[in-house]
Amino acid sequence: MEDGDFGLLVSHAEDSQWEDVIRMAVAHARPRERAEILRGLIARGDGIEDRRARLRVHLLAMACLEHATELDPRVRDEVRERAGAILPPRTREESKLLAEVGPLVLELLPGPEGLEEDEAREVVASAALIGSDAALEVMKRFLHHPSADARHQLAWSWQEFDTDRYAQEIIQHLDADVTVTATSPSELRALKTLGGRPRVSVSGPFTASELLDALQPELIQSLAITENPEITDLAFLREFPSLEWLSLWGCPAVESVAPLADLHIRSLGISGPPGTRLSTPRGLHRLRHTRSLVLYATLPPEGLAALPTGAPLNHLFLGQPSGVEFTSVTRWPQLRTLQLDHIPDDFDERQWNALASLKELERFAFGLGAEGGTLHLPPGLRLPQVRTLEIFNSTRRPGSDLSCLLSSALPTFPGVRKLQLQSTTDAPIGLSLLAALPDLQELRLSRLHPEPGHPLPPHIKLTRYPRPRT
C-alpha cells in the first residue's frame, strides 16, 4: 500500500495464498485506493476465460467489501453485480462451481433468511461439497428452514462429514418427514444410537440381518434400499409392520416381491441405474394394497397382466414401456396418474383410446421417443379429464421441432390447467401453441425459455428452472 503497487496485488488474485493479503490491503487502503484495487479485481476477473478462475476473482472482490467501510457506491454495485451472477446458487452446477473455489465461498453464502427453495437447497449443497468444520456451521443454519429440499439436502450430505458429529449436530435435529441416507456401517450404527428414524434410505451391500439390527423395524414407514447386490429374499421385511413406502433401486438379486403380499405397502418402486436392463421381480400380482407403482424395469412377457390387478392402483410409472400392450390399462379404472418414460413407436390408436377411457386420469406424463420420433395421435382423440400434463424431451430435438410436435399434441388435452415442459438442453419454445389450452393456469419450463414476441396472458403463472437472474 505504501508503494501503491496495486498491480502486484491484482496479478495474484487467482492465488488462494494471496487472499488474506489482498483483503488486508483493501482494509488498510484509503477510499480512492480501495476503488482502484476493486476495479482492478473486476477487470482481472472479466478477462479470464476459465469460469472457475474468473469466479474466484469476482468472489474475492465480494469478500473484500466487508473491509471496505468507505467506497464509491458505483464500485460496490459493480462488485455485487459480478457475484450476483452465481450468489446465491440455484442449480447443482453452480453449487459445484462455488465449492471448487474453496473455503472463501463459505463466508459469502447467504441465508437462511430470504432465500427461495432452490437457493436454500444449493447453499446447503455448496457447503457440503466443501466439507469443513466451517461448512458444517453454515449448514446448521438451515436445520429448520421451511424448504423441504434444503432439509433433505442436509440428510443426503452425511457422508461428507465425521459420522458421529454429523449425527449429533444435524441428523437428530431433522424433522421426522425427512428421509435420512446411510451409506456405511458406521452411519447405520449412529442411526441406531439415535433411536432410529421413520424414513431411511440405505445404500450399499448390506445384508438383511444388518438392516434388521440397525433400523428399528417397528419405526420404519419408508425404506429405500439402493445399490445392493446382497439382498435376494425380501421376507425379512415382514418384520417392518409399519412399512408403507418401499423403493428397490439397483437390487438385481431380488427375484420376487411375493413376501410383501401381506404387508400394507402403499407405494412400491423398482428401478436401477439409467441404461440398465433390470428385470421386474416376480410376484407383483400378489400385492393387494399398492396404490403407487414405479417400475423402471423390463416387464415380463405377460405385460401389464403381471401387475397387481386387484390392487387399488392410482399411480403408475413405467420406465421401459416398449412392447407393452396398453389396452389392458383399463384394469385400473381408478388410475389418476400415468407416467411413461417415452411413448413407444408402436403406441397406436387402440392404446390411445384405452387411455382416453380412464375417466379418473388427472395427470399424464410422458417422454418423447427417439430422435425423429413422432406421436401417432388418432384424429379427433380427446382426453379432457387430464388436468396436469408433463412432457419431457430427453433427445436433442431442436426447440423448433419440439414446438411443432407440441402444437399437434396439445389439442388432445383441452382440459389441462398445469403444463410442464422439460428438456435436457437449453432451447427456445414458442408459446403461441398454448392457445390450444383454454383452461391453462400454470406453465413450468425446465431448460426451456419462451421465444420473444408471444407474451403469456396475465392469468397464467410461469415458472422456469433454472430461475433466470434479473
Side-chain angles (χ1 to χ4, degrees), residues 277 296 317-323 326 339-347 352 364-370 375 392 394-395:
R277 299 293 293 180
Y296 211 104
F317 169 67
L318 296 178
Q320 298 181 10
S322 297
F326 275 91
Q339 183 171 341
L340 305 177
D341 178 71
H342 63 274
I343 298 291
D345 289 337
D346 58 357
F347 209 86
W352 280 112
F364 183 40
F366 64 89
L368 301 177
L375 296 177
F392 35 97
S394 58
T395 70

Side-chain angles (χ1 to χ4, degrees), residues 88 90 112 114-122 145 147 467:
R90 294 180 176 179
L115 296 183
E116 299 290 340
E117 287 197 10
D118 55 351
E119 295 169 338
R121 178 191 65 237
E122 297 308 323
H145 194 277
S147 168
R467 284 189 301 120

Side-chain angles (χ1 to χ4, degrees), residues 436-454:
L437 305 176
D439 296 332
L440 186 65
Q441 299 174 1
E442 184 175 353
L443 174 64
R444 292 175 176 262
L445 300 178
S446 180
R447 299 292 180 187
L448 294 166
H449 56 271
E451 289 181 349
H454 297 282

Side-chain angles (χ1 to χ4, degrees), residues 391-468:
I391 302 175
F392 35 97
N393 175 28
S394 58
T395 70
R396 295 191 177 275
R397 188 189 307 267
S400 57
D401 289 352
L402 180 61
S403 297
C404 182
L405 185 146
L406 291 174
S407 65
S408 64
L410 293 185
T412 304
F413 308 95
V416 165
R417 297 175 182 173
K418 180 178 178 180
L419 175 65
Q420 180 167 328
L421 304 176
Q422 179 177 334
S423 178
T424 55
T425 56
D426 294 328
I429 187 78
L431 299 185
S432 59
L433 53 87
L434 301 182
L437 305 176
D439 296 332
L440 186 65
Q441 299 174 1
E442 184 175 353
L443 174 64
R444 292 175 176 262
L445 300 178
S446 180
R447 299 292 180 187
L448 294 166
H449 56 271
E451 289 181 349
H454 297 282
L456 279 176
H459 69 278
I460 297 178
K461 177 184 177 181
L462 173 63
T463 302
R464 290 177 57 192
Y465 178 84
R467 284 189 301 120

